[in-house]
Amino acid sequence: MSAPAVEGAAATALRSVLSRVQRAAERSGRSPDQVRVVAVSKTKPVSLIRQVYDAGHRCFGENYVQEIVEKAPQLPSDIEWHFIGNLQSNKVKTLLAGVPNLDMFESVDDEKIANHLDRMVANLGRKPLKVLVQVNTSGEESKYGVNPSGCLQLVKHVKFGCPNLIFSGLMTIGMLDYTSTPENFRTLSDCRSEVCRELGIPEDQCELSMGMSADFEQAVSDCVSQIIIHVRLFGCKDQNNTLLRWEALTFELDQQYLEQENTQRRISNS
């Protein structure tokens, strides 16, 4: 398969995902514009991300500071970068200074990281940063996030104690199979209801984010308001190391693309 064919598969996958999101939103009586697709591009080369960008997508997510600070300067400045994952306090400055177009930090799970982000945004003279509060809805020790019972208090701290942060909603990384564990999403939705009721926030102004690639259509259909779906357009593996097929684009295609790039690089250097 030629490189252009592989590159075209990324655009094909994007169109397929957006089409499925649109249908799922319409089935639930909502506008597709209420659903934001974040393409999680961790470990993927800049050249492949650029193919998805050229297909019209602008919202990408990364999990590692080193990766995002290396990739962001090589890609157009109108990309809306999201950082998804645990962040050590000593890397806050590296992230915020290295990615001027960081649009959202999705993983505020305690007051300490909120305070570090708030101070650094002020020190760097950045505009206020949108953040999501991460909730551990599954109760798994391997997952980060505030306990649902502490969600409201953390949101209050962000909203009233961190003037350089904009509280934008809640997120969770649920269990792998959404269909069999919809209670993860219901817990997140219940947290939103409590937060909005106590703070007087309209629910349509409090986003919900589910970190998943499988069964995302069910999550879109179940949500009564805005939701962000983290869709790995580039291929991913589940906890049993089984490949999750994603439309026309698969992990194998990704690997083939990298192999072709390495071959071209060797030819250029020979």
Side-chain angles (χ1 to χ4, degrees):
M1 183 180 293
S2 64
V6 175
E7 294 165 0
T12 299
L14 173 66
R15 287 193 295 271
S16 176
V17 167
L18 295 180
S19 176
R20 291 167 63 184
V21 166
Q22 178 177 349
R23 292 195 298 270
E26 290 173 346
R27 284 196 299 270
S28 65
R30 295 187 295 120
S31 168
D33 293 339
Q34 292 179 297
V35 183
R36 179 188 300 125
V37 175
V38 180
V40 180
S41 50
K42 66 176 182 179
T43 74
K44 302 302 178 269
V46 167
S47 52
L48 191 57
I49 298 171
R50 183 62 193 242
Q51 294 303 319
V52 178
Y53 174 91
D54 288 343
H57 202 64
R58 294 294 181 270
C59 192
F60 295 85
E62 289 285 339
N63 297 69
Y64 305 113
V65 173
Q66 183 176 352
E67 277 197 58
I68 193 171
V69 298
E70 290 177 355
K71 291 175 179 178
Q74 302 180 60
L75 289 159
S77 61
D78 64 336
I79 284 180
E80 299 176 359
W81 288 106
H82 287 220
F83 188 84
I84 310 160
N86 183 256
L87 179 66
Q88 296 177 341
S89 299
N90 61 0
K91 294 185 178 179
V92 169
K93 182 177 181 179
T94 301
L95 174 65
L96 296 183
V99 189
N101 51 331
L102 181 70
D103 185 63
M104 181 178 285
F105 180 85
E106 299 208 9
S107 310
V108 172
D109 57 3
D110 59 30
E111 293 185 5
K112 179 181 178 182
I113 192 63
N115 292 339
H116 277 285
L117 287 166
D118 182 63
R119 286 195 296 268
M120 192 54 62
V121 169
N123 292 343
L124 294 173
R126 289 181 54 121
K127 65 180 182 180
L129 177 67
K130 291 183 288 186
V131 301
L132 300 181
V133 165
Q134 182 173 359
V135 184
N136 186 343
T137 57
S138 67
E140 297 170 278
E141 293 185 1
S142 61
K143 300 281 180 65
Y144 290 99
V146 64
N147 188 284
S149 63
C151 176
L152 176 60
Q153 186 59 40
L154 181 53
V155 171
K156 286 182 177 179
H157 178 78
V158 171
K159 190 168 179 62
F160 301 120
C162 300
N164 299 292
L165 303 182
I166 300 173
F167 170 70
S168 299
L170 308 175
M171 72 87 75
T172 191
I173 304 294
M175 294 182 181
L176 182 66
D177 184 1
Y178 175 84
T179 303
S180 64
T181 57
E183 63 272 13
N184 294 164
F185 182 77
R186 285 198 294 267
T187 297
L188 190 69
S189 183
D190 289 344
C191 286
R192 177 175 68 172
S193 295
E194 180 186 24
V195 165
C196 292
R197 182 177 61 253
E198 293 293 326
L199 301 183
I201 302 172
E203 289 202 1
D204 62 1
Q205 294 180 20
C206 183
E207 300 180 2
L208 293 185
S209 169
M210 287 289 284
M212 64 176 67
S213 287
D215 302 322
F216 70 91
E217 289 157 300
Q218 185 64 44
V220 173
S221 297
D222 283 354
C223 184
V224 296
S225 187
Q226 183 166 317
I227 186 170
I228 305 169
I229 307 294
H230 299 276
V231 183
R232 291 181 175 85
L233 293 171
F234 308 98
C236 61
K237 296 182 180 181
D238 68 13
Q239 60 187 359
N240 296 317
N241 210 38
T242 302
L243 288 172
L244 298 176
R245 302 292 171 173
W246 199 253
E247 296 304 311
L249 188 63
T250 66
F251 183 77
E252 285 85 1
L253 283 178
D254 218 4
Q255 290 295 96
Q256 186 172 0
Y257 181 84
L258 291 173
E259 291 170 2
Q260 289 169 346
E261 280 208 321
N262 290 334
T263 299
Q264 292 174 352
R265 189 176 298 111
R266 286 195 297 269
I267 293 174
S268 298
N269 295 333
S270 61

